[in-house]
Amino acid sequence: MVDFLNRVWEAITRRIDNFLFGCALALVGVGLVTLFSATDQSVARVTTQLFSFGFALVLMWIVANIPPQTLARSAVPLYVLGVLLLLGVAFFGVVVNGSRRWLNIGVARIQPSELMKIALPLMLAWYFQKFEGRINWKDFAVAAVLIVVPVYLIKRQPDLGTALLIAASGCYVLYLAGLSWKIMVGLVALGGAAGPYVWAHLHDYQRERILTFIDPTRDPLGTGYHSTQASIAIGSGGVIGKGWLNGTQTHLDFLPERHTDFIFAVFGEEFGLIGNGLLLVLYMLLIGRAMMITANASTLFARLMAGAVTLMFFTYAFVNMGMVSGLLPVVGVPLPLVSYGGTALVSLFIGLGILMSVQAHRKLVTT
């Protein structure tokens, strides 16, 4: 009986990267502990997140057991599905806080932009693998169109922050596929030169966020409220924090969106500089392990996909922490694996599954 159980356990875990999974599990644990405090000890919210976590684990295991080349065959259908869902949001989406970002599918409400975090890099990696060894400027032009379509649809929701971050994930694949950094710098400079045109097409609240970032004191009780309260919360935590469930900014309702975008402020207030340092170490360990998997990938598709997933984790963590700390403008970006949100959690664990698939395939190739 013991031997049978051992064989079953080995079959379940043989494609799981223990180090990567351990870091992710620790971050989810931090998220659940912080979420319990951020939601005023709401068992319902924590239970919902746990259900999402369980579903995400199943999907991660399934993806980890699929060879990368099999994953490549799902690139086009997944990308097309993502674009169709984004079109569905444009026509039939649920409006929340003035933004049409969610789609009600009966059993649940999903945010299709989260799917594009995986679908877009997967599509680009598949496309470039088709032309491996003979990639030219025409291929990069086609890839740019593949990026622009979902980014435009997400920007119209409006969700400029997510649109820019998904565009960044696409640009990561372009760079890893061989696009010169000089060209990318030139495109960034061109985008900067187009600033006045872009400014004219921003929504009022987006302009206010940028102006508030430049001068946080211009409207401390309006557009600057989120950033100001988050800075106060992190600063008041000091070195060791106020203790779990004892954050005053959190429990006196000064801190907005505290279970989603600003959960890092809740954590910083209650666990202080030491807690923030440990959280950063967890992210560094996870991203470092993912970078090792990317560097050792056995095919171009695997390297592009793993690299995009790795940089996605880095970008989202960096932008969220920078936003909450006042170093970047406020955008609607959750803290990876920590913030409340089922769709985001599922997409991130699918990304982890892709990394594990790449690592498991490399082991098979080398043996």
Side-chain angles (χ1 to χ4, degrees):
M1 183 64 177
V2 174
D3 290 339
F4 173 74
L5 292 176
N6 286 335
R7 287 197 296 270
V8 171
W9 180 253
E10 195 277 332
I12 293 174
T13 60
R14 68 173 180 267
R15 296 294 181 91
I16 303 300
D17 188 275
N18 293 329
F19 191 89
L20 192 68
F21 182 65
C23 293
L25 198 62
L27 287 167
V28 171
V30 168
L32 291 172
V33 168
T34 312
L35 178 64
F36 185 68
S37 177
T39 56
D40 295 324
Q41 304 176 40
S42 171
V43 176
R45 284 285 178 90
V46 175
T47 302
T48 301
Q49 189 76 341
L50 279 171
F51 275 119
S52 299
F53 174 55
F55 181 61
L57 278 181
V58 173
L59 290 180
M60 182 198 75
W61 183 84
I62 292 173
V63 173
N65 282 273
I66 300 174
Q69 294 309 309
T70 303
L71 286 175
R73 289 195 286 271
S74 68
V76 176
L78 194 63
Y79 178 84
V80 172
L81 175 63
V83 172
L84 290 176
L85 288 175
L86 288 174
L87 288 172
V89 170
F91 290 103
F92 313 109
V94 179
V95 178
V96 178
N97 295 330
S99 297
R100 193 185 298 271
R101 303 177 185 176
W102 289 266
L103 191 64
N104 195 329
I105 58 173
V107 295
R109 193 174 67 183
I110 63 171
Q111 190 173 357
S113 59
E114 292 292 333
L115 175 63
M116 292 309 300
K117 291 179 182 179
I118 300 299
L120 179 60
L122 192 67
M123 179 67 185
L124 294 174
W126 169 83
Y127 180 78
F128 283 120
Q129 182 184 246
K130 285 183 61 180
F131 301 99
E132 183 177 1
R134 51 189 178 89
I135 298 173
N136 56 42
W137 68 268
K138 293 180 181 178
D139 299 314
F140 287 115
V142 172
V145 173
L146 293 173
I147 295 171
V148 167
V149 171
V151 167
Y152 173 74
L153 291 172
I154 294 169
K155 186 261 179 189
R156 286 186 73 255
Q157 293 179 354
D159 191 357
L160 182 61
T162 301
L164 289 174
L165 290 172
I166 288 179
S169 71
C171 290
Y172 293 148
V173 179
L174 297 185
Y175 176 73
L176 293 171
L179 184 63
S180 170
W181 66 268
K182 295 179 181 179
I183 295 177
M184 300 193 75
V185 170
L187 291 173
V188 171
L190 185 63
Y197 174 79
V198 174
W199 181 265
H201 287 79
L202 292 177
H203 291 268
D204 290 340
Y205 80 93
Q206 293 168 341
R207 297 178 187 174
E208 286 296 324
R209 284 181 176 179
I210 295 173
L211 292 173
T212 300
F213 168 68
I214 296 172
D215 180 12
T217 63
R218 68 186 301 271
D219 190 9
L221 298 179
T223 55
Y225 184 78
H226 288 62
S227 181
T228 301
Q229 295 302 321
S231 298
I232 292 172
I234 293 176
S236 66
V239 176
I240 61 174
K242 297 178 179 177
W244 186 45
L245 305 178
N246 292 323
T248 53
Q249 293 297 115
T250 300
H251 297 291
L252 293 178
D253 291 332
F254 285 108
L255 189 63
E257 306 295 339
R258 56 184 181 267
H259 64 296
T260 52
D261 296 347
F262 286 86
I263 198 168
F264 180 61
V266 178
F267 182 82
E269 182 181 26
E270 298 189 350
F271 296 97
L273 181 62
I274 294 175
N276 287 343
L278 293 175
L279 185 64
L280 284 172
V281 168
L282 283 176
Y283 277 116
M284 289 172 64
L285 290 173
L286 184 144
I287 293 168
R289 177 57 181 165
M291 290 179 66
M292 290 178 61
I293 292 173
T294 300
N296 294 319
S298 57
T299 65
L300 176 64
F301 172 82
R303 185 169 68 253
L304 294 179
M305 194 61 225
V309 170
T310 301
L311 291 170
M312 178 184 71
F313 271 98
F314 168 78
T315 302
Y316 276 72
F318 176 79
V319 170
N320 179 274
M321 291 180 178
M323 170 191 79
V324 175
S325 304
L327 301 176
L328 294 172
V330 173
V331 291
V333 177
L335 188 60
L337 304 176
V338 176
S339 291
Y340 177 79
T343 311
L345 193 64
V346 167
S347 66
L348 290 167
F349 267 90
I350 290 175
L352 292 173
I354 289 171
L355 287 168
M356 293 177 188
S357 171
V358 170
Q359 173 66 2
H361 181 72
R362 187 190 72 84
K363 289 180 178 178
L364 290 174
V365 170
T366 54
T367 55

